[in-house]
Amino acid sequence: SASTIAMAGPAVSLAYLIGGIMIYFVMRMLGEMAVSEPVSGSFSYFADKYWGKFPGFLSGWNYWFLYIIVSMAELTAVGIYMNYWLPDLPHWLSALICIMIITALNLTTVRAYGETEFILSAVKVAAICGMIILGIYLILNRPFPDNVSNLWQHGGFFPNGIWGMITSLAVVMFSFGGIELIGITAAEADDPDRTIPRAINQVIYRILIFYVGTMLVLTALWPWNMVGKEASPLVQIFDGVGISAAAHILNFVVLMAAVSVYNSAIYSNSRMLYGLAAAGEAPKFFMKLSGRKVPVTAILFSSGITLLTVVLNYVFPDEVFMYMLSIVTGAVITTWILIVLVHLKFRAAKERNGTKAKFPAPFYPFVNYLCLIFFAGVIGIMLTLPDMRQAVLVLPVWLIALWIGYKMKNK
């Protein structure tokens, strides 16, 4: 949050709102397809069925690779956070312990994954809600309008101009990475016709509270150019109400957040591999289920690949995290673009057959083209940012590699 606030100033809340609305539209497209046909592999299955074999191969393996890299980045983060309390603990050992615990949980039942994720997510949500409530308390204890004047002083609401807000979108969008996991859960939901629409419709409210609300509180409390200078914004708020253990609380929260992402990554990767195997785009042994209907081979393979993090953290303990995040950026944009394009094909096929959608995405097809223009713009912005330019330049190489892999598989 500190980096996006530095780019956009108080207007960062507007950037999160714009990005959140676009992601909500993408989720409605995915939701329409997932409710219509709740299957493992989700958008990979739809790409294969409604577009063609290569789009199905591309979307499935791109998403699997994306979450392998995310898994590795989060395992690296676990080591960094553990070092706050245990400075001598090697990063690779923290990563190994995390892999073993989370893999064991995922191998038991889908319920074990779900309940673990519920607990880990509850920690994150409680911390953000606590931050917002304490932040509002601090704001209300100041006289009006001085308590909110930071939103327009220090250069105005757009201190770096409209372009500063637009530029921040490139960073803001990756805060929403992983939201498409809702679609992958459809195959194992008890009542997808009810639960998937409910979860997706709640996305917009959660964006307003957790992203836009948090940014408004932060930029009202402090001058935008001071946020995150002394400490994390979360620590600053807890310190502001006299909670001396703020830094320890924050470290626990971000540690739980990293473990939560790894937990979800193993879940989503195993289901994506299962779906790819069912479509003939991955070896059939990935379809092997345990007695409790868990894709055991796909879980073991996905978690086994992330063991490479242990080696990388042993050899390059300081550089690994940022290298991995730069690769993730291009892959997540590719996933969202594929969902939008596949939805166009899906809806066209349903209209030809005269089939009515149970949970139709709004403003089709106008909003599909709007999302494509928006994502193309985000990629263009990334090219202007030195830290992100490399991710865009690597993207064509990655797509060509997938094409070669597809041709080799066919042979």
Side-chain angles (χ1 to χ4, degrees):
S1 59
S3 62
T4 52
I5 291 170
M7 297 169 86
V12 72
S13 54
L14 185 58
Y16 274 99
L17 179 62
I18 293 168
I21 290 169
M22 302 310 293
I23 285 298
Y24 174 69
F25 285 140
V26 174
M27 290 308 302
R28 286 296 302 264
M29 295 172 205
L30 180 57
E32 179 182 337
M33 296 187 288
V35 170
S36 173
E37 300 175 50
V39 292
S40 283
S42 188
F43 42 87
S44 170
Y45 165 87
F46 299 121
D48 183 278
K49 181 175 180 179
Y50 294 101
W51 193 354
K53 285 291 181 184
F54 178 63
F57 179 92
L58 167 65
S59 59
W61 282 109
N62 177 72
Y63 193 71
W64 180 84
F65 175 77
L66 160 65
Y67 260 96
I68 286 293
I69 299 300
V70 168
S71 300
M72 291 173 146
E74 296 301 331
L75 284 170
T76 304
V78 166
I80 293 168
Y81 301 144
M82 286 302 297
N83 278 163
Y84 182 79
W85 293 309
L86 303 167
D88 297 327
L89 183 68
H91 288 189
W92 65 267
L93 184 57
S94 300
L96 183 60
I97 293 169
C98 183
I99 289 171
M100 292 169 66
I101 293 171
I102 296 301
T103 302
L105 282 167
N106 274 269
L107 284 171
T108 52
T109 62
V110 69
R111 181 174 183 145
Y113 155 75
E115 292 187 352
T116 304
E117 189 52 37
F118 176 83
I119 293 165
L120 294 171
S121 296
V123 172
K124 295 187 283 187
V125 170
I128 296 168
C129 287
M131 188 191 77
I132 293 171
I133 292 166
L134 292 175
I136 291 171
Y137 169 77
L138 291 173
I139 290 169
L140 293 177
N141 272 343
R142 299 175 184 175
F144 181 83
D146 295 343
N147 57 349
V148 289
S149 61
N150 283 323
L151 290 173
W152 59 82
Q153 289 182 348
H154 315 288
F157 189 70
F158 294 94
N160 295 323
I162 298 291
W163 180 246
M165 188 273 290
I166 292 172
T167 303
S168 73
L169 282 167
V171 183
V172 161
M173 289 313 297
F174 302 108
S175 303
F176 301 113
I179 201 166
E180 65 288 327
L181 182 61
I182 294 173
I184 291 176
T185 64
E188 292 174 285
D190 282 340
D191 184 7
D193 284 7
R194 181 180 61 86
T195 54
I196 298 300
R198 187 177 68 182
I200 288 173
N201 282 332
Q202 287 173 359
V203 162
I204 196 67
Y205 304 114
R206 292 173 187 185
I207 287 168
L208 287 171
I209 295 168
F210 296 124
Y211 290 89
V212 180
T214 301
M215 293 301 127
L216 282 172
V217 167
L218 286 175
T219 50
L221 276 173
W222 293 288
W224 65 271
N225 52 359
M226 294 303 294
V227 174
K229 286 286 174 70
E230 297 173 12
S232 155
L234 187 67
V235 171
Q236 282 183 283
I237 285 183
F238 284 173
D239 275 340
V241 291
I243 298 175
S244 57
H248 291 283
I249 293 170
L250 172 68
N251 199 62
F252 176 74
V253 170
V254 292
L255 175 61
M256 292 301 100
V259 174
S260 165
V261 175
Y262 183 70
N263 188 37
S264 289
I266 292 299
Y267 172 85
S268 64
N269 270 347
S270 59
R271 273 59 183 181
M272 186 58 78
L273 274 183
Y274 180 92
L276 283 166
E281 305 296 357
K284 291 295 180 187
F285 59 76
F286 287 130
M287 292 181 68
K288 179 177 173 57
L289 298 175
S290 70
R292 293 174 174 174
K293 305 296 182 187
V294 170
V296 59
T297 313
I299 288 172
L300 289 171
F301 181 76
S302 296
S303 65
I305 291 290
T306 62
L307 278 169
L308 182 60
T309 316
V310 176
V311 179
L312 290 173
N313 274 291
Y314 183 79
V315 181
F316 311 107
D318 298 321
E319 299 91 357
V320 171
F321 188 72
M322 290 312 298
Y323 287 159
M324 289 175 178
L325 284 188
S326 67
I327 298 170
V328 164
T329 52
V332 74
I333 283 282
T334 303
T335 292
W336 292 334
I337 289 172
L338 284 166
I339 290 171
V340 174
L341 291 171
V342 169
H343 180 258
L344 283 168
K345 303 281 186 181
F346 170 88
R347 180 65 79 88
K350 293 297 180 183
E351 287 182 350
R352 284 195 301 271
N353 298 335
T355 308
K356 279 211 165 191
K358 298 176 184 176
F359 182 50
F363 312 121
Y364 164 88
F366 165 76
V367 81
N368 294 67
Y369 298 118
L370 178 64
C371 286
L372 291 174
I373 293 166
F374 178 79
F375 290 133
V378 171
I379 292 171
I381 293 165
M382 288 168 64
L383 281 169
T384 69
L385 302 174
D387 291 344
M388 290 191 157
R389 189 177 299 128
Q390 188 175 358
V392 180
L393 299 176
V394 165
L395 187 57
V397 178
W398 166 235
L399 296 177
I400 291 167
L402 281 173
W403 172 254
I404 293 169
Y406 175 73
K407 288 297 184 183
M408 288 174 66
K409 184 218 65 149
N410 286 346
K411 286 187 177 180

